[in-house]
Structure formats: structure tokens, C-alpha cells
């Protein structure tokens, strides 16, 4: 058994090297230096911070939820101007509006990583069964991290529904690699008219990207504004807190009616804060955006940070109380249970 360990380590290392993304090539901008993407104005993360965190981890309790609630089969289509939002897990949501079915960062795999055996194991089943999904029209991908872009799930979606995949710069090669149909890649502030029912705006996020050991920040990360008959919905993707939230609110072209904001994977904050917003930061982002309603995302499935299972919801309640915001204005969704917004 001991002689097998070095082989497992070596094979894992080789996988991480070959998993690297091809480098994006394009004009230099304020967030692309010709080789890598950058976060304008973001302070540098502490040198050696990753090793320091890994050596001194302080994980909160996170029991597996093997018998967790799984929702009923969703409606095939939702017509009209009401928006139905169903939390699947982590950052995966089913958005149903005006006859369209949209998925965000879909993940149904048991582990997220380069292979089915190398990666972070889920702590609960998805809130919807994959085989009970309605026909999926559009899939929004925020960046290339495995917990947001899961190729086995993408491959199943291509086979079952052949949806349109929308990605930021440099990321479309991944859905294409399994036969996916993609739009043109989007840079921050680009717009895409998907159909007469849906227009998208690609928005700035404060994060990073990589699939392997040698491709750090070689593809872009983003969020999306969805312009529909319901109004404007904001899907943040993955982001640390920053001034970009206020700019997104100012440049949205109208009031943001619904904001999907991350609340998990934020401890320890000295290390995570630049790229993962805390619940308190999410509340401030909600205020910056001047959104009518917020829903929490990026929690409850994979223990990536040191925050325990209940901490994001508990810390969110504290932050809302401090800002005197009613809890029903920033909901913590339950997997599999649809929320209806008129």
C-alpha cells in the first residue's frame, strides 16, 4: 500500500499539469496584460498564504447530508413574467422565466476535480435529479474552476439538451471539448442578445482561474446580468468584495430586481477575502448594487473554506441585523425548493 502512494501522487501531479487551460490571446486591456488576466485594484494576496492556511486549517463542523431533501420535478416551462428560481447546489441554479430554462455553473458530479477520484467530495446530493430537469436552453459559466465548470455534467447536458453555453474569455474550449454549442466568448461589459427573451451582460468579478498547476489566470472570470421580461437578475459567479459591485449596479441599465450573491467559502478571511466574499461582504454588495432582493449562493455542498455548514447562514443573519435589513430581503435558499418572484 505504501509503495502505491508515490504513484498516486505522481499521477495526480501529471493530471494537474495536463489539465491546464490553453492561454487566451487577445488585446491588452486594464484587466489583461497580454498573458494573464488581473483584478484591477485588488491588493496582492499574502505570499505563502496558501501554505500557511493549509498547515493551520480550522474547519468548522460539516456533517454529510446523505438523506437531504431532493425537490420534485420542475415545471417544463414557466410562461409569463414571474421568475422561478430553484437552488440545486453550490452555485447551480435553475432559472425559469418567460418559457426559458437557464442553468448557472451546473455541477452534478460526486466530486469536483480533474478526475472522479481526485477532488473535493460533495456533502449532500443535488437538490434536483439530473434526469428530472426540464429542457435546458442556456447555460451560464462564470469561470473555469472545477466547482463551477464540471465537465462530466457539461457532457451530460450536451447529450440531453444541447443548450447554448455562454462563457467569459478563454473558457469556451471546455464545453466545446465535449461537443458543446457555445456563443462568442464575452469580456467584462460585453452584451449578448441570446434571443428576444434574453439579453446578457458580462460583468466584472474579483477572482482568479486555473484548471491545473501552470495556467493561473490565463482565462477570465465573470458574473452575468440577465435582462428578461421579469427585469434584471444578477448572477455574481464567484468574487471577493470590491468596488465593482457598485459599478455593476450603476451600469445595469435599470434596477436589479434579484441578485444571486456568494456567502460561503470565506474563512479564514485573511486568506479568502480577496476572492471569496463573506456574508457581511455580500450584504454590503447587496446595498452597493441597490438590488430589490438577494439570494445566497456558493454554500452548503463542498467544504472548500474553513467555514462550517451552518456558518454562512448564521453570519448572514448577523450581518443583516447589523445593517437593519429584513431577513426576507436576503434569502438563504433551500436546495430543491423553488422560489417564485413576481
Amino acid at each position: 500500500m505504501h509503495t502505491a502512494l508515490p504513484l498516486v501522487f505522481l499521477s495526480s501531479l501529471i493530471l494537474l499539469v495536463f489539465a491546464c487551460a490553453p492561454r487566451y490571446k487577445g488585446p491588452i486591456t486594464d484587466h489583461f496584460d497580454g498573458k494573464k488576466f488581473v483584478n484591477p485594484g485588488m491588493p496582492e494576496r499574502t505570499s505563502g498564504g496558501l501554505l500557511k492556511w493549509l498547515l493551520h486549517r480550522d474547519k468548522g463542523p460539516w456533517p454529510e447530508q446523505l438523506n437531504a431533501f431532493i425537490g420534485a420535478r420542475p415545471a417544463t416551462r414557466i410562461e409569463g413574467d414571474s421568475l422561478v428560481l430553484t437552488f440545486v447546489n453550490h452555485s447551480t441554479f435553475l432559472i425559469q422565466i418567460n418559457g426559458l430554462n437557464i442553468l448557472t455553473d451546473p455541477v452534478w458530479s460526486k466530486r469536483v476535480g480533474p478526475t472522479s477520484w481526485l477532488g473535493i467530495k460533495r456533502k449532500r446530493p443535488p437538490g434536483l435529479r439530473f434526469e428530472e430537469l426540464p429542457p435546458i436552453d442556456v447555460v451560464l459559466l462564470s469561470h473555469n474552476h472545477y466547482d463551477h465548470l464540471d465537465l462530466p455534467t457539461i457532457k451530460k447536458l450536451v447529450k440531453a439538451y444541447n443548450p447554448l453555453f455562454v462563457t467569459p474569455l478563454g473558457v469556451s474550449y471546455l464545453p466545446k471539448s465535449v461537443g458543446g454549442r457555445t456563443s462568442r466568448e464575452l469580456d467584462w461589459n460585453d452584451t449578448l442578445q441570446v434571443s428576444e427573451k434574453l439579453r446578457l451582460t458580462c460583468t466584472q468579478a474579483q477572482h482568479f482561474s486555473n484548471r491545473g498547476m501552470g495556467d493561473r489566470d490565463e482565462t477570465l472570470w465573470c458574473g452575468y446580468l440577465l435582462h428578461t421580461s421579469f427585469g434584471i437578475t444578477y448572477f455574481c459567479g464567484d468574487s471577493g468584495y470590491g468596488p465593482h459591485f457598485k459599478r455593476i449596479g450603476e451600469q445595469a441599465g435599470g434596477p436589479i430586481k434579484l441578485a444571486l450573491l456568494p456567502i460561503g467559502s470565506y474563512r479564514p478571511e485573511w486568506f479568502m477575502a480577496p476572492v471569496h466574499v463573506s456574508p457581511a461582504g455580500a450584504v454590503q454588495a447587496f446595498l452597493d448594487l441597490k438590488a430589490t432582493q438577494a439570494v445566497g449562493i456558493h454554500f452548503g455542498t463542498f467544504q472548500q473554506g474553513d467555514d462550517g455548514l451552518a456558518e454562512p447562514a448564521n453570519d448572514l443573519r448577523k450581518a443583516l441585523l447589523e445593517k437593519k435589513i429584513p431577513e426576507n430581503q436576503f434569502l438563504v435558499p433551500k436546495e430543491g425548493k423553488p422560489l417564485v418572484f413576481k
Side-chain angles (χ1 to χ4, degrees):
M1 184 179 289
H2 293 295
T3 56
L5 288 176
L7 291 175
V8 171
F9 176 76
L10 182 60
S11 62
S12 300
L13 196 63
I14 291 170
L15 280 169
L16 287 171
V17 170
F18 281 97
C20 293
R23 178 173 289 171
Y24 168 77
K25 296 178 181 178
I28 293 173
T29 67
D30 68 337
H31 55 280
F32 182 64
D33 65 9
K35 292 184 178 180
K36 291 182 180 291
F37 290 93
V38 297
N39 291 295
M42 188 186 91
E44 288 291 324
R45 298 182 81 181
T46 309
S47 178
L50 177 60
L51 181 60
K52 178 183 174 183
W53 170 51
L54 292 175
L55 291 174
H56 301 92
R57 294 204 66 172
D58 180 26
K59 292 184 180 182
W62 195 309
E64 288 197 43
Q65 309 156 75
L66 300 178
N67 298 314
F69 176 81
I70 297 175
R73 181 190 294 270
T76 303
R77 301 280 179 187
I78 299 293
E79 300 296 342
D81 297 338
S82 291
L83 184 146
V84 178
L85 181 75
T86 308
F87 182 36
V88 178
N89 52 207
H90 199 53
S91 296
T92 308
F93 282 81
L94 171 64
I95 302 172
Q96 298 182 280
I97 172 67
N98 201 14
L100 283 176
N101 294 324
I102 304 163
L103 280 179
T104 63
D105 289 352
V107 176
W108 264 264
S109 292
K110 291 182 178 179
R111 287 182 183 270
V112 287
T115 72
S116 60
W117 49 268
L118 178 65
I120 301 173
K121 184 181 177 182
R122 67 166 56 247
K123 296 285 190 176
R124 65 150 291 143
L128 294 176
R129 295 177 180 87
F130 184 89
E131 58 273 16
E132 293 185 347
L133 285 175
I136 302 301
D137 303 300
V138 180
V139 176
L140 305 181
L141 299 173
S142 65
H143 62 299
N144 71 359
H145 284 159
Y146 291 100
D147 59 314
H148 293 257
L149 200 159
D150 176 49
L151 268 185
T153 297
I154 299 296
K155 190 173 182 179
K156 289 171 68 176
L157 285 167
V158 170
K159 184 177 180 181
Y161 308 113
N162 192 29
L164 178 70
F165 293 91
V166 182
T167 75
L169 297 177
V171 180
S172 67
Y173 81 96
L174 283 163
K176 284 178 181 176
S177 73
V178 292
R181 183 170 58 95
T182 64
S183 70
R184 61 181 171 86
E185 295 181 334
L186 301 181
D187 197 357
W188 294 345
N189 302 317
D190 282 353
T191 60
L192 177 69
Q193 190 74 44
V194 176
S195 71
E196 62 180 12
K197 297 179 179 180
L198 175 64
R199 179 167 57 89
L200 298 171
T201 302
C202 180
T203 60
Q204 181 179 350
Q206 185 172 289
H207 201 55
F208 66 107
S209 65
N210 68 299
R211 295 284 283 188
M213 295 180 66
D215 62 341
R216 176 75 177 227
D217 297 342
E218 291 184 0
T219 63
L220 188 58
W221 46 93
C222 75
Y224 295 96
L225 291 171
L226 291 74
H227 306 264
T228 67
S229 60
F230 166 76
I232 300 174
T233 301
Y234 171 53
F235 171 63
C236 177
D238 216 346
S239 182
Y241 177 76
H244 59 287
F245 288 113
K246 189 173 183 180
R247 287 196 297 271
I248 290 168
E250 292 170 347
Q251 298 169 5
I256 294 174
K257 294 186 71 175
L258 177 62
L260 309 183
L261 297 171
I263 60 171
S265 302
Y266 58 97
R267 280 209 308 111
E269 290 194 48
W270 65 262
F271 179 64
M272 292 292 188
V275 293
H276 283 152
V277 67
S278 68
V283 169
Q284 187 57 54
F286 170 60
L287 294 172
D288 291 351
L289 291 162
K290 296 182 179 178
T292 305
Q293 176 72 52
V295 171
I297 72 173
H298 202 271
F299 72 98
T301 304
F302 304 107
Q303 188 169 22
Q304 297 169 301
D306 286 350
D307 36 302
L309 177 62
E311 283 184 72
N314 291 339
D315 285 351
L316 179 64
R317 278 191 288 271
K318 293 175 187 175
L320 291 170
L321 182 63
E322 185 175 324
K323 296 289 187 180
K324 296 182 173 58
I325 299 171
E327 286 185 24
N328 62 5
Q329 278 192 258
F330 199 137
L331 299 173
V332 178
K334 301 295 184 184
E335 289 90 344
K337 295 189 175 182
L339 297 170
V340 180
F341 299 98
K342 299 293 185 182

